[in-house]
Amino acid sequence: MDYFTFLVALLHVHKALGEEIFWNTRVKLAETLTLECQYPLGTLVQMEWFKINATEKESIAIFHPTFGSEIREPYVDRVYFLKSTSGPNDMMLAFHNASEADVGFYSCLLEIFPYGSWEKVIQVVPSDSFEIAVPLNSHVVSEPGENITFMYELQMKGPMQQVTWEKVQSHQIDLLISCNLSQGKSSPSRFRRQILSNCSQGMRRSFILMPLVVASDSGLYRCCFKASTGENETFVVRLTVTDGKTDNQYVLWMVVGAVLSLLFVILIAAVIVILYNRKRRRQKSFQGKESQATQNKASNNYRSSFSISQPSDGAGEDIYVNYPTFSRRPKTRA
Ligand SMILES: *[C@@H]1O[C@H](CO)[C@@H](O)[C@H](O)[C@H]1NC(C)=O
Ligand SMILES: *[C@@H]1O[C@H](CO)[C@@H](O)[C@H](O)[C@H]1NC(C)=O
Ligand SMILES: *[C@@H]1O[C@H](CO)[C@@H](O)[C@H](O)[C@H]1NC(C)=O
Ligand SMILES: *[C@@H]1O[C@H](CO)[C@@H](O)[C@H](O)[C@H]1NC(C)=O
Ligand SMILES: *[C@@H]1O[C@H](CO)[C@@H](O)[C@H](O)[C@H]1NC(C)=O
Ligand SMILES: *[C@@H]1O[C@H](CO)[C@@H](O)[C@H](O)[C@H]1NC(C)=O
């Protein structure tokens, strides 16, 4: 059924020449370019890669776990299959020496047992169209295993056409959710992890739910409501999922800090007692100042051992991401 949806989407693409082609992932052109097509479940039966534009769909290469692989003639010296670390039969399409000529849209068509066809569109964009600062609105820190929900409520008045959620990384943008607000329907998501969301006609509040987050879910998440006029409202949140290690280190620092401060308190107490006894014996006042100074130093030490262990929060920092604006249409190249 997903395949059908995609075919319909593709027909739309073919019909509307020059229209923006729907993409699931956008990656930055790099000399060592690899395209990945991680599928969530099942066993790979066959994988075929295509280069697509508004009018054509050209096969690049095909892979079968037992029959092997074949690279089509015009691409023989340009691409090869590279084993992915994510699964035994998951192949990445790798480029020998990627250049401007490789910019464009790619599609991987997978046959997966027992689920059937699965297709994903990846857009390769020139690297100079990236690196736009995105202002950060919020920062959420979580432990692994939590269920994280991001919710955004539209502030602007007026009807909106679309709401999208994306994960933004320096080299790639993944579309998590795209909801057409006039239809109340979302496009099938091709993100490798499970995301729950809501899509209904004219809704003004959108959420995504990521069950059981892991460290690799850390990153920037962007929600964008867009009107037919191109007007938009965007919200960016950074998610940091701590891994167990840093957590233990943090706890260790706390313990070390607490023990050290206890030692200091005992030391100061001892010093004060000694000084007080001497003072009593000698009846002189100036040594009291010295102990005051020692105490100040000790409390400074106490504070600095804690500030080291404190996780710095990224609020207010400028985040640079590969962010081609929505309104910009992909340049069609001959
Ligand atoms: C890659 O291509 C560029 C120009 O297109 C060329 O200068 C460079 O030598 C090539 N590198 C390799 C490893 O083929
Ligand atoms: C997260 O959601 C799952 C169901 O998807 C539930 O079983 C689990 O208890 C939830 N965990 C937390 C920490 O809320
Ligand atoms: C949403 O669906 C409507 C009706 O099918 C269509 O006209 C419109 O172009 C779609 N909007 C987007 C952003 O895909
Ligand atoms: C999704 O949105 C509909 C309509 O706004 C609402 O009735 C429903 O409860 C929402 N579902 C969730 C899981 O929030
Ligand atoms: C969103 O709005 C800002 C100005 O508010 C504009 O600069 C930007 O191009 C818009 N983005 C899209 C995708 O329309
Ligand atoms: C699409 O690609 C084919 C070759 O693969 C090319 O001949 C055609 O001009 C391209 N169309 C557009 C609109 O770029």
XYZ file of all heavy atoms in Angstrom, residues 224 226 230-234 323 325-328, ligand 5:
113
model
N 8.095 22.744 11.380
C 7.801 23.891 10.526
C 6.365 23.830 10.008
O 5.982 22.878 9.322
C 8.794 23.938 9.367
S 8.555 25.334 8.268
N 3.803 25.604 7.464
C 3.968 26.421 6.274
C 2.602 26.717 5.648
O 1.765 25.823 5.527
C 4.836 25.662 5.273
C 5.514 26.541 4.256
C 6.543 25.716 3.492
C 6.546 26.094 2.034
N 7.361 25.196 1.224
N 3.725 30.668 1.504
C 5.161 30.520 1.759
C 5.529 31.009 3.149
O 6.631 30.781 3.629
N 4.578 31.681 3.783
C 4.779 32.112 5.166
C 4.965 30.875 6.036
O 4.296 29.856 5.801
C 3.540 32.882 5.636
C 3.841 34.284 6.121
C 2.618 34.897 6.794
O 1.481 34.561 6.395
O 2.807 35.688 7.714
N 5.828 30.979 7.033
C 6.072 29.789 7.842
C 6.396 30.138 9.274
O 6.775 31.258 9.582
C 7.207 28.980 7.221
C 8.511 29.729 7.257
O 9.207 29.721 8.263
N 8.862 30.402 6.154
N 6.277 29.133 10.126
C 6.647 29.283 11.538
C 7.448 28.056 11.935
O 7.018 26.929 11.729
C 5.372 29.393 12.379
C 5.633 29.848 13.796
C 4.328 30.108 14.546
O 3.514 30.922 14.061
O 4.128 29.478 15.587
N 8.621 28.304 12.481
C 9.571 27.218 12.719
C 9.989 27.176 14.178
O 10.143 28.211 14.811
C 10.808 27.421 11.810
O 10.355 27.462 10.459
C 11.801 26.299 11.961
N 20.949 23.634 6.037
C 19.544 23.983 5.951
C 19.211 24.727 4.672
O 19.312 25.939 4.593
C 19.149 24.828 7.159
C 17.729 25.327 7.104
C 16.690 24.496 6.712
C 17.431 26.642 7.405
C 15.404 24.954 6.636
C 16.145 27.113 7.340
C 15.134 26.269 6.957
O 13.861 26.731 6.885
N 16.511 26.299 2.463
C 15.169 26.758 2.833
C 14.117 26.042 2.005
O 14.371 25.588 0.898
C 15.017 28.272 2.628
O 15.371 28.552 1.295
C 15.875 29.049 3.591
N 12.933 25.952 2.566
C 11.858 25.204 1.940
C 11.440 25.776 0.597
O 11.097 25.081 -0.314
C 10.636 25.186 2.858
C 10.786 24.280 4.002
C 11.467 24.683 5.131
C 10.295 22.999 3.944
C 11.627 23.836 6.191
C 10.446 22.143 5.011
C 11.112 22.564 6.129
N 11.459 27.112 0.544
C 10.902 27.747 -0.648
C 11.812 27.573 -1.853
O 11.382 27.646 -2.980
C 10.688 29.229 -0.387
O 11.907 29.805 -0.016
N 13.092 27.311 -1.582
C 14.032 27.200 -2.686
C 13.768 25.921 -3.475
O 13.774 24.833 -2.916
C 15.465 27.192 -2.163
C 16.473 27.496 -3.246
C 17.857 27.470 -2.675
N 18.039 28.497 -1.672
C 18.993 28.439 -0.755
N 19.808 27.440 -0.715
N 19.108 29.402 0.132
C 10.057 31.208 6.493
O 9.895 32.579 6.873
C 11.082 33.340 6.870
C 10.740 34.728 7.330
O 9.814 34.691 8.357
C 11.704 33.352 5.472
O 12.957 34.021 5.523
C 11.926 31.909 5.003
O 12.375 31.931 3.666
C 10.640 31.123 5.084
N 10.886 29.741 4.739
C 10.121 29.086 3.910
C 10.459 27.671 3.736
O 9.199 29.586 3.297
